[in-house]
Amino acid sequence: SWVCENDTMDVGYYSFSCPLLAFSAEASVEATIPLKNLSPEVRRIVDFGGKVFNKDIGGGNAFMGHFPRETFHDWSAWTENKGGFQVIECENCTHMTIKASRKFKDKVYGTLTDLVALWSRT
């Protein structure tokens, strides 16, 4: 939900012991928009800090995505399993359509299939 999305914690606030896969949707990490093109409602979000990363980034532009691409690699601090951290960029999709991305599905279902096979041997 919108409230959950805006309850963004600092990287490393919690640490998982398991591997961590971070998926990015191209349209959500490449979301630089000229300030002059923002609607009045969206401009208020930028001006008042309504969302952590939606802000004026200078040069007459605002970032209006979910997380900037450069923030993803810092997410390795969210897991103790440093060898198990991976950033997977899914092209030609948005925050909402990433679930239909072939790259997303191949990685998620492939990982789950590997885990089922591992658990089946024990």
Side-chain angles (χ1 to χ4, degrees), residues 2-107:
W2 189 84
V3 173
C4 179
E5 178 182 333
N6 291 293
D7 190 19
T8 305
M9 300 296 185
D10 291 332
V11 171
Y13 170 81
Y14 180 82
S15 186
F16 297 93
S17 60
C18 60
L20 179 63
L21 304 178
F23 290 92
S24 67
E26 182 177 35
S28 294
V29 297
E30 293 293 333
T32 302
I33 299 173
L35 287 166
K36 65 182 180 168
N37 294 351
L38 299 178
S39 69
E41 296 81 18
V42 172
R43 181 61 196 238
R44 283 194 290 276
I45 290 172
V46 170
D47 291 343
F48 297 110
K51 295 176 89 173
V52 172
F53 291 110
N54 289 174
K55 58 187 170 188
D56 184 334
I57 57 173
N61 294 310
F63 178 78
M64 297 307 298
H66 290 276
F67 295 95
R69 175 176 280 118
E70 64 271 10
T71 64
F72 278 82
H73 291 283
D74 292 341
W75 292 14
S76 64
W78 287 98
T79 180
E80 298 164 3
N81 188 322
K82 299 305 178 200
F85 177 74
Q86 216 178 344
V87 176
I88 297 109
E89 293 195 20
C90 297
E91 299 81 16
N92 303 313
C93 62
T94 68
H95 174 72
M96 297 305 291
T97 63
I98 192 170
K99 296 170 275 310
S101 161
R102 172 58 49 201
K103 187 183 262 186
F104 176 84
K105 290 191 274 190
D106 286 348
K107 188 64 177 178

